[in-house]
Amino acid sequence: GSLVRTFTPFYFLVEPMDTLSVRGASVVMNCSAYCETSPKIEWKKDGTFLNLVSDDRRQLLPDGSLLINSVVHSKHNKPDEGYYQCVATVESLGTIVSRTAKLTVAGK
């Protein structure tokens, strides 16, 4: 018998959008992916995976969105501004990467 591989739907329902924030505000970068097997959602900022485990300001929401509490922004420290991508992985299928969304922090 030959093994028939059926197509498994795996796609983004919501992808992050370019966002403008102000210092001290909270920001949500939206992301949600669909698959029969729940995808594992991770986030990249400027091409590097964020380690959200030890991050007290950034957290992954249940739907896969990224919450950034009290955006930090000063002349020499801009840890939140940059380019974000949502990365969804399903073990047996592979990985899909969202569009790149820019987070801009407005000055005073």
Side-chain angles (χ1 to χ4, degrees), residues 8-103:
T8 306
F10 178 27
Y11 53 87
F12 284 107
L13 296 165
V14 181
E15 294 189 60
M17 301 289 286
D18 291 353
T19 304
L20 177 64
S21 177
V22 292
R23 193 174 73 189
S26 292
V27 175
V28 174
M29 301 298 273
N30 291 308
C31 179
S32 182
Y34 171 81
C35 189
E36 289 161 6
T37 319
S38 286
K40 175 184 171 210
I41 302 284
E42 295 174 289
W43 280 87
K44 279 183 169 182
K45 177 181 178 285
D46 300 330
T48 306
F49 279 106
L50 289 173
N51 177 8
L52 299 172
V53 177
S54 59
D55 199 319
D56 53 350
R57 283 192 315 107
R58 291 185 278 217
Q59 67 187 84
L60 192 61
L61 298 177
D63 69 345
S65 297
L66 177 69
L67 170 66
I68 305 171
N69 280 309
S70 67
V71 167
V72 172
H73 196 77
S74 63
K75 194 190 283 187
H76 302 294
N77 187 26
K78 303 177 182 181
D80 296 326
E81 195 167 69
Y83 294 91
Y84 289 81
Q85 280 177 305
C86 176
V87 181
T89 305
V90 174
E91 280 284 315
S92 55
L93 286 178
T95 299
I96 54 177
V97 181
S98 75
R99 68 182 289 276
T100 301
K102 184 180 184 189
L103 176 61

